[in-house]
Amino acid sequence: MNNDTIEGKWKQLKGEAKIQWGKLTNDDLDVVEGHKDKLVGKIQERYGKSKEEAEAEVNRFWK
């Protein structure tokens, strides 16, 4: 699976992402569209995390 985008499976994974990061809105997840960098940015924005922290969480989620 491409590390930068999982667009094809994003509709399936949106629910799991919503459970993982409850502060993300449906609009946030629609904007992400399966792009890793966009998800990292939204997590940083909503949770006030560093880029490194958000990337680590997303990397665990992507696997």
Side-chain angles (χ1 to χ4, degrees):
M1 186 179 321
N2 185 326
N3 284 336
D4 295 323
T5 183
I6 54 169
E7 291 175 72
K9 293 190 176 212
W10 184 242
K11 288 184 181 183
Q12 297 169 329
L13 292 173
K14 273 173 58 172
E16 292 179 38
K18 182 72 173 162
I19 292 167
Q20 177 80 24
W21 298 287
K23 290 184 182 180
L24 296 181
T25 66
N26 287 332
D27 288 341
D28 290 336
L29 296 172
D30 288 342
V31 168
V32 168
E33 298 177 324
H35 293 274
K36 182 179 176 181
D37 58 336
K38 290 181 183 180
L39 182 56
V40 168
K42 288 294 180 184
I43 292 169
Q44 285 181 269
E45 182 181 318
R46 295 284 184 228
Y47 287 90
K49 296 185 181 229
S50 71
K51 183 176 182 179
E52 291 78 19
E53 289 174 311
E55 282 180 339
E57 286 185 19
V58 170
N59 285 336
R60 284 190 298 271
F61 177 75
W62 241 239
K63 292 183 182 199

